[in-house]
């Protein structure tokens, strides 16, 4: 069974940093695309960053480019999202997702991912 477990969320002041982790079991990220998404209250789920299955291309949403960094530790089968210069607008539940074949043009779209974690809350205070 494929499972994803996120951790690392919490409360941080604006300008601060957090690192989210997403540990996978039942599969390895070697053959999968992986994405980070977030959903704020009353808003739709949106793509934050992803690593596509076509040559591991990394994509960032415009709102996170330059502040967030996605990476994979293949030995630990864990994906990270390093978030810096956090803003109150970054407050949301953050989810990681994975699927076998998701191209870079599609990896910011939640519908292309079949496996999801339970989410971790990130709250940025002003």
């Amino acid at each position: 069974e494929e499972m994803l477990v996120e951790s690392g969320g919490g409360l941080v002041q604006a300008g601060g940093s957090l690192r989210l982790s997403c540990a996978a079991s039942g599969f390895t990220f070697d053959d999968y695309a992986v994405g980070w998404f977030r959903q704020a209250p009353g808003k739709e789920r949106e793509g934050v960053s992803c690593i596509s299955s076509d040559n591991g291309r990394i994509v960032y949403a415009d709102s996170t480019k330059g502040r967030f960094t996605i990476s994979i530790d293949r030995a630990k089968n864990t994906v990270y999202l390093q978030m810096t210069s956090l803003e109150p607008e970054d407050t949301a539940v953050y989810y990681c997702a994975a699927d076998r074949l998701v191209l870079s043009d599609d990896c910011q779209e939640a519908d292309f991912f079949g496996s999801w974690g339970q989410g971790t809350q990130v709250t940025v205070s002003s």
Side-chain angles (χ1 to χ4, degrees):
E1 180 185 5
E2 298 178 358
M3 289 187 63
L4 297 167
V5 179
E6 302 98 333
S7 60
L11 173 64
V12 64
Q13 289 187 330
S17 300
L18 280 175
R19 188 178 77 161
L20 305 183
S21 301
C22 173
S25 59
F27 69 101
T28 68
F29 286 118
D30 288 347
D31 301 320
Y32 279 67
V34 60
W36 283 99
F37 295 81
R38 66 186 181 187
Q39 188 165 19
K43 295 187 176 181
E44 292 188 356
R45 191 168 297 190
E46 64 172 351
V48 172
S49 181
C50 58
I51 300 175
S52 70
S53 56
D54 50 338
N55 297 319
R57 293 181 183 178
I58 294 177
V59 179
Y60 292 99
D62 288 342
S63 60
T64 64
K65 201 173 296 183
R67 300 188 299 124
F68 291 10
T69 303
I70 189 172
S71 62
I72 295 178
D73 185 331
R74 299 191 185 281
K76 296 181 179 180
N77 209 29
T78 299
V79 175
Y80 300 99
L81 184 69
Q82 179 68 51
M83 306 185 294
T84 63
S85 301
L86 283 161
E87 304 165 353
E89 293 74 21
D90 295 316
T91 295
V93 177
Y94 283 69
Y95 300 88
C96 69
D99 214 310
R100 278 192 175 275
L101 182 61
V102 185
L103 305 182
S104 55
D105 287 345
D106 302 324
C107 73
Q108 291 279 70
E109 300 295 331
D111 288 345
F112 285 90
F113 289 87
S115 296
W116 289 83
Q118 83 288 350
T120 185
Q121 176 71 47
V122 172
T123 304
V124 184
S125 63
S126 57

